[in-house]
Amino acid sequence: VYSQILKQLYPDVPVIAGGIEASLRRVSHYDYWQDRLRPSILVDAPVDMIVYGMGEIPVTQIADRLAAGESLSSLTDIPQTALLLPADVTPAPDNDNIILASFETCLRDKRSQATNFKHVEQQSNRMHGATIWQPHGNKTVKINPMLPPMSTKEIDASFDLPYTRLPHPRYRNKTIPAWEMIKHSVNLHRGCFGGCAFCTISAHQGKFIASRSKESILREVKQVTRMADFKGYISDLGGPSANMYRMGGRDLSVCEKCMRPSCLHPKPCPNLNNDHAPLLDIYKAVDSLPEVKKSFIGSGVRYDLSMHESGNEQIDRTNRRYNEELITRHVSGRLKVAPEHTIDHVLDIMRKPSFKQFYEFKKIFDRINRTQGLKQQLIPYFISSHPGCHEIDMAELAAETRDLNMHLEQVQDFTPTPMTVATEIYYTGYHPYTGEKVYCATRPEEKQSQRRFFFWYDPAYRADITRALQRLHRPDIIRKLFPAYRDPRQNDRNKSKKRR
Ligand code: SF4
C-alpha cells in the first residue's frame, strides 16, 4: 500500500523496500492472515528493490553507486538485496546459484514450497551463501547473498550514529507502552544462532553474532543515564538472545562451510565457544558506572547455552559464575525463560533442548534464591499448537507444569509468520528437512482445545478439559490435574460389583 502511494506521488523516484516485513517476504511465502501462498513481495508491490536483513551496508553501497552515476536498474549485484528481473537472465544452477521451484509450482505442490524453504534457510545461515533465484511467471526474483556478519567497527559505527532516542514527535505527551519498555535498554549484539523453528530472527539478522565494542556500549549507557526520567535502572542489557554476546565458532574456517540452521540444536556444536566472560565484563563495566544502580537482563536468556559444559574448565567455571551473577544481580523480580514445551518430540521440531534442562536451571535458580534470601520468580514461556504438537502433548504439559506448581501466564498459541520452518510445516504439512508429514493443529477448535490446557487451574475450563481427557482415555491426567475427580465409569463398575 505504501509503495503504491509513493509510486503515484513520485512515479520517477525509485522505491526500495526494507525492514523485517519486506525481508521475510522476499520469496514465495505463506500468509496466515490471508491463509494462502503469496508470491515474493517484489511481485505484489511496485518496489524497485528490497534490502533484506540489517540494511546499513547495502543501503550505503546503493547510495555510493547511485552517486557515482550508475542507474538503479544496473545495481543487480548488491549483497542482501532482492530484485525482480526478466526470466531469461536466470543462470544454470551451480554452487553459486540455486534455482528454486517457481511460485506457480509451489502453488500446485506444497512439497516444492517446503523444499524451497530448506534452501532459503540454509543459504541465509551461511557465511558465504549462494544467490537464490525463484521464477514467478515470465519474471524471476534474484536474491543476492547475505553479507558476512558486521565487524565490531562496522556495528559500532551504526550504533554510534546520533539517534535522538525519542519517539516520533507526533506522539508527544502520549504514553507508548512499547517505548516505555525499551527506553532504558541497550542492545549489545545482533544475530542469533539458536535457530528456533518458530522464530524469524536468523532469517533477518542471520545466525552469526555481530557484537558491539565495550566502549560503544558504555557510550550508549551513559546517554541513557542522562535521560530526564532515568532513575538508575537499565531495563535490559540484551540482544535477540541475551547471552550470545561475542560468541561464535572457535575455528571460523569450519563455520565458513557450515549450513546448520542452529549452533545449539540438536546438540551444541563442538566448535561453538560459549564463553560468557566478555558478557560478564560488560555487566561489570555498566554496573560500575556511578549513575547506574542496577542493570537488568530483560531479553530471553538461553540457559541451555550458559549451562552447556564445554569441557574447558575455565569456560565452564565462568559460565557457572554467569548463572550466579545473572540470578543474584540482574533479575528484576522475575526471570523470563523460554522452554516453550515439555515434550521432547515437540521440542525437537521446535529445535529446542529437552525440558530436563529447564529442571536443571530451575534447581540452580531455586538454590541461589534460597542461599541469597531472594524471592524471585522463574517465568517460563510456552507455545501451544506448534507443528508436531498433539492435544495429548498439551495435556502432558499441563500435568508436568502442575507438578512444578506453576500457573502459566506467559503463553501463546502458535501464529505462523513468513519464513520460519514451523510456518512451512503448518502450511505444507511436511518437514522441509526430512520430507516427512507432520501433524499440525490448524482448525480453530483444535487450536482452542490445545490452548485450554495452559489454564487447567481456571474452573471455567475444567469441564472441557475433563471431557477432552476422557476422550483421550487419560483418567490419570484428569486425576493429576483435578485430584477430587471421580471417574463416573469407575463408580458404575463399583456399584455393579456391589450388586453382584
Ligand atoms: S559454531 Fe558450529 S554450528 Fe555454529 S556456525 Fe560454527 S560450525 Fe556451524
Side-chain angles (χ1 to χ4, degrees), residues 7 101 169 219 224 262 380 469-470:
K7 280 287 180 185
R219 264 195 296 278
V224 174
S262 167
L469 289 169
Q470 281 167 342

Side-chain angles (χ1 to χ4, degrees), residues 308-321:
H308 172 60
E309 298 276 331
S310 68
N312 176 319
E313 189 38 47
Q314 192 183 339
I315 291 178
D316 293 344
R317 209 176 321 118
T318 303
N319 293 354
R320 283 194 288 276
R321 188 156 63 80

Side-chain angles (χ1 to χ4, degrees), residues 44-284:
D44 275 348
V47 297
D48 299 274
M49 186 187 273
I50 291 175
V51 170
Y52 71 91
M54 304 308 283
E56 298 97 329
I57 293 178
V59 163
T60 316
Q61 287 187 10
I62 293 166
D64 284 346
R65 285 177 57 176
L66 290 178
E70 285 188 65
S71 66
L72 190 71
S73 59
S74 68
L75 304 184
T76 58
D77 59 345
I78 307 253
Q80 259 175 242
T81 60
L83 311 117
L84 193 61
L85 299 173
D88 57 10
V89 302
T90 314
D94 58 22
N95 286 345
D96 296 326
N97 291 283
I98 290 176
I99 320 293
L100 300 179
S102 70
F103 171 60
E104 293 73 17
T105 304
C106 294
L107 274 179
R108 283 193 308 272
D109 174 24
K110 290 186 170 176
R111 271 184 189 271
S112 299
Q113 171 66 21
T115 310
N116 273 3
F117 177 78
K118 178 180 161 189
H119 292 303
V120 174
E121 187 180 54
Q122 283 181 330
Q123 297 308 320
S124 308
N125 281 316
R126 283 180 67 187
M127 190 102 64
H128 309 287
T131 302
I132 292 174
W133 304 76
Q134 188 183 26
H136 285 67
N138 60 359
K139 301 267 181 168
T140 188
V141 168
K142 180 189 186 199
I143 302 173
N144 290 312
M146 212 138 169
L147 282 156
M150 273 182 164
S151 65
T152 293
K153 199 169 162 218
E154 286 169 332
I155 194 169
D156 278 0
S158 177
F159 276 89
D160 290 348
L161 288 171
Y163 300 105
T164 64
R165 299 190 64 86
L166 290 171
H168 191 277
R170 71 185 288 190
Y171 292 102
R172 192 169 295 134
N173 301 327
K174 292 203 175 106
T175 302
I176 310 168
W179 157 247
E180 293 302 319
M181 200 167 84
I182 58 141
K183 64 184 177 182
H184 298 148
S185 72
V186 176
N187 192 357
L188 312 184
H189 63 273
R190 286 180 183 167
C192 179
F193 51 76
C196 297
F198 44 83
C199 177
T200 55
I201 294 269
S202 66
H204 189 66
Q205 294 196 347
K207 79 173 171 191
F208 297 105
I209 306 296
S211 300
R212 297 172 68 184
S213 68
K214 185 171 162 184
E215 294 72 34
S216 168
I217 293 167
L218 290 178
R219 264 195 296 278
E220 191 180 343
V221 173
K222 283 182 190 152
Q223 233 184 320
V224 174
T225 63
R226 289 194 289 271
M227 288 169 77
D229 60 351
F230 182 72
K231 302 272 188 315
Y233 301 98
I234 298 287
S235 62
D236 188 18
L237 290 174
S241 281
N243 53 328
M244 291 187 181
Y245 181 71
R246 288 233 180 275
M247 286 185 196
R250 286 192 181 85
D251 179 350
L252 283 185
S253 68
V254 180
C255 303
E256 292 210 28
K257 296 183 211 97
C258 175
M259 301 246 267
R260 279 176 62 158
S262 167
C263 306
L264 293 174
H265 185 271
K267 290 237 157 56
C269 173
N271 189 36
L272 179 68
N273 180 358
N274 68 333
D275 186 1
H276 285 60
L279 188 52
L280 280 171
D281 186 40
I282 296 289
Y283 293 174
K284 193 171 159 208

Side-chain angles (χ1 to χ4, degrees), residues 252-491:
L252 283 185
S253 68
V254 180
C255 303
E256 292 210 28
K257 296 183 211 97
C258 175
M259 301 246 267
R260 279 176 62 158
S262 167
C263 306
L264 293 174
H265 185 271
K267 290 237 157 56
C269 173
N271 189 36
L272 179 68
N273 180 358
N274 68 333
D275 186 1
H276 285 60
L279 188 52
L280 280 171
D281 186 40
I282 296 289
Y283 293 174
K284 193 171 159 208
V286 171
D287 288 0
S288 60
L289 293 174
E291 302 86 351
V292 175
K293 289 183 191 148
K294 232 172 175 322
S295 60
F296 297 119
I297 311 307
S299 301
V301 172
R302 289 288 305 227
Y303 52 78
D304 51 332
L305 184 59
S306 61
M307 287 194 309
H308 172 60
E309 298 276 331
S310 68
N312 176 319
E313 189 38 47
Q314 192 183 339
I315 291 178
D316 293 344
R317 209 176 321 118
T318 303
N319 293 354
R320 283 194 288 276
R321 188 156 63 80
Y322 174 81
N323 285 331
E324 297 257 349
E325 279 213 16
L326 169 75
I327 296 166
T328 46
R329 306 171 70 143
H330 299 283
V331 176
S332 63
R334 312 171 98 207
L335 179 64
K336 291 172 228 145
V337 291
E340 306 295 5
H341 215 288
T342 59
I343 303 295
D344 277 351
H345 70 89
V346 182
L347 288 165
D348 195 41
I349 291 189
M350 290 177 160
R351 294 184 181 147
K352 281 286 200 182
S354 165
F355 195 59
K356 286 187 200 107
Q357 297 217 14
F358 174 78
Y359 279 103
E360 292 301 313
F361 186 71
K362 189 171 178 315
K363 261 194 239 160
I364 297 173
F365 185 85
D366 291 344
R367 173 180 53 79
I368 295 175
N369 270 280
R370 228 179 14 255
T371 53
Q372 302 287 325
L374 299 166
K375 287 204 177 76
Q376 301 177 139
Q377 273 183 300
L378 191 60
I379 308 290
Y381 282 45
F382 289 100
I383 300 180
S384 56
S385 308
H386 190 275
C389 178
H390 292 74
E391 194 180 9
I392 188 64
D393 300 322
M394 289 305 299
E396 303 269 14
L397 181 151
E400 188 142 11
T401 52
R402 189 192 194 286
D403 280 350
L404 282 164
N405 229 351
M406 283 177 162
H407 282 201
L408 304 183
E409 37 174 285
Q410 296 294 338
V411 295
Q412 56 171 311
D413 198 59
F414 172 67
T415 305
T417 48
M419 234 174 155
T420 68
V421 69
T423 297
E424 298 302 327
I425 299 172
Y426 177 93
Y427 168 64
T428 66
Y430 298 102
H431 196 294
Y433 284 77
T434 62
E436 280 168 15
K437 278 197 161 188
V438 179
Y439 166 77
C440 203
T442 52
R443 287 183 293 119
E445 55 280 17
E446 286 175 296
K447 288 169 86 62
Q448 177 54 28
S449 68
Q450 289 212 11
R451 192 173 177 279
R452 229 177 349 239
F453 278 101
F454 286 137
F455 309 107
W456 58 268
Y457 52 84
D458 184 338
Y461 294 118
R462 181 172 295 200
D464 284 332
I465 289 176
T466 306
R467 266 196 299 278
L469 289 169
Q470 281 167 342
R471 174 168 43 77
L472 294 166
H473 305 293
R474 292 300 300 269
D476 56 318
I477 299 183
I478 308 180
R479 281 192 295 274
K480 251 192 184 177
L481 295 179
F482 315 122
Y485 169 79
R486 292 285 167 268
D487 184 351
R489 284 166 305 179
Q490 189 61 42
N491 287 346

